[in-house]
Amino acid sequence: LPAGTSVMYIPSDVILSSNRAIAEFGRLEEAESLLQANGVENEMREFYLMLKILVELEKGEESPYYHYFNGLPRFFANGPSMTPFCYRCIPPFAAKLCQKERVKLNHVAFGCKSRVQFLSEKTRGDSLLWEWAFQIVYTRSFEAPDGSGDLCLYPIGDMFNHATEANVAYEYDEAGNCYVQTTTDVAAGPLTMTYSDPTNPSYLLARYGFLDESSPASFCKLGVDWHITDELINMGYSTSTLLFYKDTGEVSEQVWDVLLYKYLGEEDVGRQQDFYQAHMSGDYETK
């Protein structure tokens, strides 16, 4: 298949959208205030998309999404599905990310159940159903490619597996219809897309429940318990830049920069600041 070939078409009115859910239900101010109070105010899109799923589930076979929902997974092995014992069995950074996903489940789903009065009493009390809807949103939704910030579920279009070297992506036309298109020339073989940063496989485990063996590099796990300052971030501290490369064993330059910055801070704060200013000004000779 040549690059730019459409391999799937998802009409606009079939897409499950957080923006449309907000328009349909209105703003739930009490629930939003609770999400903000619990520190998960950035999960509003996920919350409304989850409500849309629950509303459609209440319709049963009358919902146009009935068969789509019936074909989705019931078992998950990601962070929200783990127990405290599981967290003790995996490396600290992965455990930390998994626990953060569990916190989202507790606050976004379980914490707001009683605040959604348009759902039936049976649905509001069904924790397993809320957890399933949460998992579907967090493991299968993608941000719309049109820059709107909309969070969407693309029925059947969410069946592509993850790969570091992906070969398809979502595209919209002017009417808001979604096309899954090849991003490169594709020989015979699987069609795949990238779910997230392939150099942070710990996140892929926490969010999606799998380890990406195709990942070319991995976050080196420095600073998991550090207080991350603006200067550290400016020095290059990020899970996508502090990398150990799998095939060569090389270490990214940002790892050395961050380590030297931390070392100088313990030995000579003045020299640390000289190093920081040299880094910020691009003075490689001084560094």
Side-chain angles (χ1 to χ4, degrees), residues 58 112-127 130:
E58 286 193 330
C112 290
K113 289 192 300 179
S114 63
R115 305 302 201 277
V116 187
Q117 295 304 312
F118 57 76
L119 293 174
S120 69
E121 183 177 349
K122 179 181 179 181
T123 296
R124 292 200 304 272
D126 192 338
S127 294
W130 281 79

Side-chain angles (χ1 to χ4, degrees), residues 11 35 50 86 112 129 131 193 208 287:
L35 292 172
M50 182 178 62
C86 298
C112 290
L129 190 62
E131 182 171 358
M193 59 178 51
Y208 300 101
K287 283 177 65 177

Side-chain angles (χ1 to χ4, degrees), residues 143-179:
E143 186 167 314
D146 60 359
S148 65
D150 197 9
L151 189 70
C152 298
L153 279 170
Y154 301 102
I156 309 304
D158 59 354
M159 301 291 182
F160 295 94
N161 284 333
H162 165 87
T164 296
E165 301 294 335
N167 52 29
V168 298
Y170 299 119
E171 297 291 344
Y172 275 15
D173 64 17
E174 293 181 356
N177 301 305
C178 179
Y179 297 83

